[in-house]
Amino acid sequence: MANERLRAAMVAGGWTQARLAEATGVDPKSVERWVNLGRVPRRHTALRAAEALREDVHTLWPALRQVRSARAVSAELVALYDQRADVPASLFVNLFAAAHERIDILVYAAVFLHEAYPRLNDLLVERAESGCAVRIAVGDADSDNVRQRGEEERFGHGIESRCRLALMHYRPLLATPGIELRTHGTTLYNSIYRADEDMVVNAHVWGVNAYGAPVWHLRRTLDNGLFDTYSNSFDSVWQAGRPVEG
């Protein structure tokens, strides 16, 4: 697609493709591609051209505004999903199955896990018996924050019921050494599912049910990065949680 903004700026200033090429230190064929094919030059070249034309570089090449403002994708980001409903249940199952050291789950309810994979408890028991530490924190159905979330998501008392259902699902796991279960009444900004150095984070959006909110799959590749930020968040909630007795 032709760059009509650039073409108009050149015509207004009496610039030929050869003259602009000389001013920016490129081949005239490059300028031709900028104009007729809509190619975007390198930033430093675009800045020289915009200065010569006395135009704003982002007016001539709007795509450079996006490049300039966009942060490099984190090395820890494995995948980004528009909503949790797009995440295959197999992702959670495979990550948990591959864990050797720890599994951490921080949710209000997340009963979708048991619904999608009825053998979840068996899997967690197998991992614990292999030496994997398992910590699960579910929402306290009687907490104000859980009730507030239900109102915000227009879930009514449904979310409180789901918290109780989640507790019912996980309680039998207390018979297995290495598995701990707690309830928490914190504001849940993100649901966290950790398996060793992999983590699935379900961000929460006001007024949107968790299944409709975005998810990112992180893998720990550095100290004090995104992964550690969420890991530290889990630890803080865990410390504030109340142990569930068997």
Side-chain angles (χ1 to χ4, degrees):
M1 181 181 297
N3 187 334
E4 298 300 339
R5 293 187 182 93
L6 177 58
R7 190 194 307 277
M10 291 176 64
V11 170
W15 288 83
T16 64
Q17 293 179 4
R19 185 180 166 207
L20 185 58
E22 182 179 0
T24 54
V26 300
D27 187 273
K29 288 290 186 181
S30 295
V31 177
E32 180 183 356
R33 287 190 285 269
W34 299 349
V35 176
N36 296 328
L37 301 180
R39 298 285 177 82
V40 179
R42 295 178 182 272
R43 175 167 293 279
H44 66 273
T45 302
L47 288 171
R48 286 202 300 268
E51 182 178 1
L53 296 171
R54 296 184 180 182
E55 292 283 348
D56 178 72
V57 67
H58 298 131
T59 299
L60 298 176
W61 292 286
L64 289 176
R65 184 187 303 277
Q66 299 171 3
V67 171
R68 187 177 190 181
S69 63
R71 294 179 57 187
V73 174
S74 169
E76 296 182 290
L77 182 61
V78 177
L80 174 65
Y81 300 87
D82 289 343
Q83 54 186 8
R84 197 192 69 200
D86 296 331
V87 183
S90 59
L91 174 63
F92 297 94
V93 173
N94 291 339
L95 291 180
F96 291 155
H100 294 287
E101 297 180 1
R102 69 171 58 206
I103 291 174
D104 290 334
I105 299 174
L106 170 62
V107 296
Y108 269 168
V111 294
F112 77 92
L113 285 175
H114 282 94
E115 293 169 349
Y117 189 67
R119 286 196 67 254
L120 179 63
N121 278 16
D122 294 335
L123 173 58
L124 295 177
V125 168
E126 290 169 6
R127 300 322 306 143
E129 290 178 341
S130 297
C132 186
V134 179
R135 299 185 296 177
I136 305 167
V138 300
D140 180 350
D142 296 321
S143 76
D144 291 337
N145 284 324
V146 167
R147 287 195 292 268
Q148 181 67 29
R149 174 60 61 81
E151 294 175 5
E152 292 170 355
E153 295 184 356
R154 300 175 180 82
F155 219 104
H157 295 292
I159 192 168
E160 300 164 41
S161 299
R162 291 173 80 81
C163 286
R164 293 189 175 93
L165 179 58
L167 189 60
M168 182 185 73
H169 279 310
Y170 288 118
R171 189 183 289 274
L173 295 174
L174 292 174
T176 302
I179 298 181
E180 297 181 81
L181 176 62
R182 297 186 180 185
T183 59
H184 70 96
T186 63
T187 301
L188 192 65
Y189 301 109
N190 305 276
S191 293
I192 296 174
Y193 311 85
R194 177 180 179 176
D196 288 346
E197 303 294 87
D198 280 86
M199 181 184 293
V200 176
V201 179
N202 186 185
H204 295 303
V205 180
W206 195 96
V208 176
N209 289 328
Y211 63 77
V215 167
W216 32 91
H217 176 187
L218 302 176
R219 180 166 298 138
R220 190 175 190 274
T221 59
L222 48 85
D223 293 335
N224 302 316
L226 283 173
F227 188 100
D228 285 352
T229 295
Y230 287 108
S231 179
N232 292 337
S233 176
F234 178 95
D235 288 340
S236 295
V237 175
W238 183 256
Q239 292 302 320
R242 184 174 62 188
V244 175
E245 302 298 332

